[in-house]
Amino acid sequence: MLDKEKYKVKGTIQLTDFNTKEVIEKSKKKLKKIRKKLSEIQDTMYAEGKYSMLICLQGMDTSGKDSLIREVFKDVNARGVEVHSFKVPTELELKHDFLWRHYIALPAKGKIGVFNRTHYENVLVTRVHPEYVFGENIPTINTLEDINDAFFHERMERINNFEKHIADNGTIVLKFFLNLSKDEQKNRLLRRLNLPDKNWKFSAGDLKERKLWDKYQFCYEDLLNRTSKENAPWFIIPADDKPTARFILADIVLEELEKYNFKEPTLPAKIQDQVAAFKTQLNNE
């Protein structure tokens, strides 16, 4: 059994205390077994229709978010998983508050929603590039001096309130930071350049953001410390070894879902009393 608590953010942490690489033997084989269980439990969760689950994925470029989603949820009924990748806000989205586009993308009861990049981009990318906030046209924001630490800390509190609200209404919230080393990111970027069929994944912008690595790490550490709550915990997943990262995340998700002991609904008594008659009617057609 995994010691899942060692990945969970509790109290005040430092990112440097968490490994970026961990190798668990037979991770692919173990993940395959978990996928089957996830499929079964999500079917029951869908039938019961009381809870939903929101899985938030954050990580530096090349941390493996896309492939992780594919490999972890490939056996779950397509009806039961919804994936949203949040890019640069559209003109319509900028006309609403920063949480609006995330709220309308939340999973319905019975479903698992995956946010590939999340509402935390609003206290991460915008903190590294505060000029982006001007696009939101906030009445109280006039200069860069207005977009200070207090601004982002207040925004984090709004996120905490948002997550508590949806948790109180039946959404199970799990958040995962894919903790990638700078050396491994370099290797993955080079792979994209060296392999013709991977070239399309490369963006020159990745190199520009890479130069801001330390600033991103600071922002991640701050948001992890301020927004990991019992109703919406953060887990720091070592991401240098992809099979291991996928297995750890899937195991945490499965264990959380199993806590709820979902039950398939039973037929109303009036219908149950007529089951024999219904069978007879169908057999006599």
Side-chain angles (χ1 to χ4, degrees):
M1 291 289 292
L2 284 177
D3 177 13
K4 301 175 185 62
E5 290 299 307
K6 75 176 184 179
Y7 307 108
K8 191 174 183 178
V9 176
K10 295 174 289 185
T12 302
I13 59 93
Q14 291 184 316
L15 268 179
T16 51
D17 292 336
F18 287 80
N19 293 328
T20 61
K21 187 169 185 177
E22 181 176 344
V23 178
I24 297 177
E25 293 184 6
K26 299 180 180 179
S27 288
K28 291 183 179 180
K29 185 176 181 180
K30 292 175 180 178
L31 175 59
K32 188 175 181 180
K33 293 181 179 179
I34 290 177
R35 283 203 304 257
K36 183 179 179 182
K37 292 180 181 178
L38 283 176
S39 176
E40 293 171 351
I41 200 168
Q42 193 281 320
D43 279 343
T44 307
M45 176 185 177
Y46 183 87
E48 185 184 70
K50 290 184 179 179
Y51 292 91
S52 61
M53 171 173 271
L54 176 63
I55 296 171
C56 297
L57 299 180
Q58 285 286 159
M60 296 294 287
D61 294 321
T62 77
S63 58
K65 296 182 292 296
D66 291 335
S67 60
L68 182 148
I69 294 169
R70 181 189 68 234
E71 293 302 317
V72 170
F73 298 103
K74 68 195 307 180
D75 290 344
V76 178
N77 192 317
R79 166 203 65 193
V81 179
E82 299 173 346
V83 179
H84 293 273
S85 298
F86 294 99
K87 307 295 185 182
V88 176
T90 65
E91 182 179 351
L92 173 62
E93 290 167 346
L94 287 172
K95 290 184 181 295
H96 295 269
D97 69 272
F98 77 94
L99 285 171
W100 177 77
R101 66 175 181 159
H102 306 286
Y103 194 91
I104 62 175
L106 289 172
K109 291 183 184 298
K111 294 190 176 186
I112 296 173
V114 183
F115 283 3
N116 181 356
R117 296 191 184 277
T118 72
H119 39 291
Y120 285 95
E121 294 290 287
N122 297 287
V123 291
L124 182 65
V125 174
T126 54
R127 197 172 184 184
V128 175
H129 301 281
E131 65 275 11
Y132 291 175
V133 174
F134 290 132
E136 299 179 32
N137 207 22
I138 302 172
T140 56
I141 301 299
N142 299 299
T143 68
L144 280 176
E145 286 69 29
D146 296 325
I147 312 170
N148 51 25
D149 287 347
F151 171 85
F152 288 107
H153 291 162
E154 181 182 356
R155 188 164 271 199
M156 289 181 206
E157 278 305 305
R158 293 180 184 179
I159 290 175
N160 286 335
N161 292 335
F162 163 69
E163 291 174 346
K164 184 178 186 305
H165 171 68
I166 63 175
D168 288 345
N169 284 274
T171 299
I172 305 162
V173 183
L174 295 178
K175 302 176 295 193
F176 299 93
F177 171 57
L178 302 184
N179 193 21
L180 185 74
S181 69
K182 194 173 184 181
D183 285 343
E184 180 59 21
Q185 188 195 59
K186 176 183 175 180
N187 294 336
R188 293 182 185 181
L189 288 171
L190 284 171
R191 184 170 181 267
R192 290 180 178 181
L193 291 170
N194 291 330
L195 298 177
D197 64 334
K198 300 295 182 182
N199 286 171
W200 65 274
K201 289 187 173 183
F202 180 79
S203 169
D206 293 343
L207 298 184
K208 293 180 181 179
E209 296 303 291
R210 180 174 165 80
K211 292 180 181 179
L212 300 169
W213 182 277
D214 290 342
K215 193 166 186 178
Y216 272 106
Q217 295 299 298
F218 167 81
C219 292
Y220 266 119
E221 185 173 281
D222 194 33
L223 74 84
L224 290 168
N225 282 322
R226 291 177 181 273
T227 63
S228 188
K229 307 295 180 181
E230 279 305 309
N231 60 272
W234 275 105
F235 295 87
I236 300 175
I237 307 299
D240 283 3
D241 183 74
K242 287 186 176 182
T244 295
R246 295 163 185 166
F247 165 64
I248 293 172
L249 182 144
D251 199 53
I252 292 171
V253 170
L254 178 62
E255 183 177 278
E256 185 66 22
L257 286 172
E258 287 178 334
K259 293 177 182 177
Y260 288 82
N261 194 28
F262 303 121
K263 301 290 185 182
E264 293 178 352
T266 57
L267 289 171
K270 289 183 179 180
I271 301 296
Q272 289 184 8
D273 291 342
Q274 300 179 68
V275 167
F278 293 145
K279 289 180 180 179
T280 300
Q281 180 179 334
L282 288 168
N283 287 327
N284 290 337
E285 285 184 355

